[in-house]
Amino acid sequence: MGNEEVVEKAKEHFGKLVEEQLKRVDKMKAGDAWVDYSNLDRIVIGVVGGDGIGPYICKHAENVLRFLLKDEIASGKVELRQIDGLTIENRVKVMKAIPDDVLAKIKECHVVLKGPTTTPKKGDPWPNIESANVAMRRELDLFANVRPVKVPEDGIDWMFFRENTEGSYILGSKGVNVTDDLAFDFCVATSQGSERILRLAFEHAKKNGIKKVSVVTKANVVKTTDGKFLSIAEKVAKDYPGISWDDWFIDIMTAKLIDPYRRKDFKVIVLPNLYGDILTDEAAQIQGGVGTAGSANIGMRYSMFEAIHGSAPRMVDEGRGQYADPSSIIKGAAMLLNHIGEVEKAERLEMALDVCCQFEKRIKMTGRSDGATGSEFAAYLMETLQRKDLEQIWRSFQKA
Ligand code: IPM
Ligand code: MG
């Protein structure tokens, strides 16, 4: 192929992407309304096990929800609905990130609790299909990835708002090898997409009496898309006069998270997709490991709650699935409860998690046979949840 032809083909490819994205902008402009859970007669929670350690840990989170919601389930106010089929084997069979029938079932729920799913990469035994996570976030328009990280003894209380439907992810499977030697990927930012995540972060700060929001980009280098994110931040911030904001570049922010003198100052951190992916793993590690942080994927119509980590197929291959730590997905379940309006139950679950994972730590998980199993952890957590003096115990640790 001559250069001219190569350029024409690339233009055609790019043209299609632009058309797709313009349609998405129109959809965002048309707007959607937030679901009001207090107005629903019945809330349907889909439970999707996923791959690898997913079904192991998801089962424990489901049991916790069944326990906390037993009255609501008995009265029919809440339904927990098992959705099978979001496995790498099934996805490969139909060569889709999410098989159509699974997606249709998910769309019949209001919220979803999801175990991790395998994201193939080149060289894996699987074809290199799109990540189920990325597809779900796009298909359900789950634009906000909300990830809290806390280390009370170090004064750390961070809330990350990661943009979840744009950036380097949205066209991550639509890059182009223009020639054998030249590859392009695309990064996308829209005014609407940036504004809605930034607004959510500022709203969170306002509601919780937090006086500062930190915006993280690399706008000095990635001038167009990150530049847009930052300029929209400036605009949104004007609507929140009581809240100050600062902007950081992702490289120095990565360093500051491990600076014991500065990191306490960060509270609400809002950032584009890929930076959010990386920074939240770092933050989770500071909290005690990626097994310990929950993750909410919030959209106006749907929401999905999950662990922050992946499906760890190696653990299952090595026969260690039962040692996987379920606390990350159980934190996701606590966020789910909060999201559907079960605020007190969510608080109680969070207290029990704090007591088991941060304060009392009666059992230790290592992911191996020298540590506890997920079932042992789940039993410990359930017992803690049922302690009458849970709140006092939690408070006594807060003071300590
Ligand atoms: C996460 C995960 C996903 C992501 C993967 C599984 C596609 O790392 O939720 O952070 O990159 O967003
Ligand atoms: Mg990640």
Side-chain angles (χ1 to χ4, degrees), residues 117 119 131 133-134 137 145 147 162 169 277 306 308:
T117 46
T119 300
S131 146
N133 256 32
V134 174
R137 291 165 181 168
N145 190 188
R147 296 181 156 175
R162 166 191 178 191
Y169 272 64
D277 178 46
E306 59 180 345
I308 196 175

Side-chain angles (χ1 to χ4, degrees), residues 110-168:
H110 296 98
V111 295
V112 175
L113 177 73
K114 185 184 86 44
T117 46
T118 295
T119 300
K121 60 178 188 307
K122 197 168 175 228
D124 278 357
W126 310 108
N128 200 3
I129 56 172
E130 189 188 19
S131 146
N133 256 32
V134 174
M136 198 179 298
R137 291 165 181 168
R138 182 186 62 241
E139 293 296 329
L140 306 182
D141 204 22
L142 309 175
F143 68 87
N145 190 188
V146 184
R147 296 181 156 175
V149 166
K150 274 193 221 164
V151 187
E153 64 265 35
D154 294 338
I156 291 173
D157 190 355
W158 297 324
M159 188 63 95
F160 292 90
F161 286 84
R162 166 191 178 191
E163 201 295 315
N164 216 16
T165 46
E166 307 198 333
S168 308

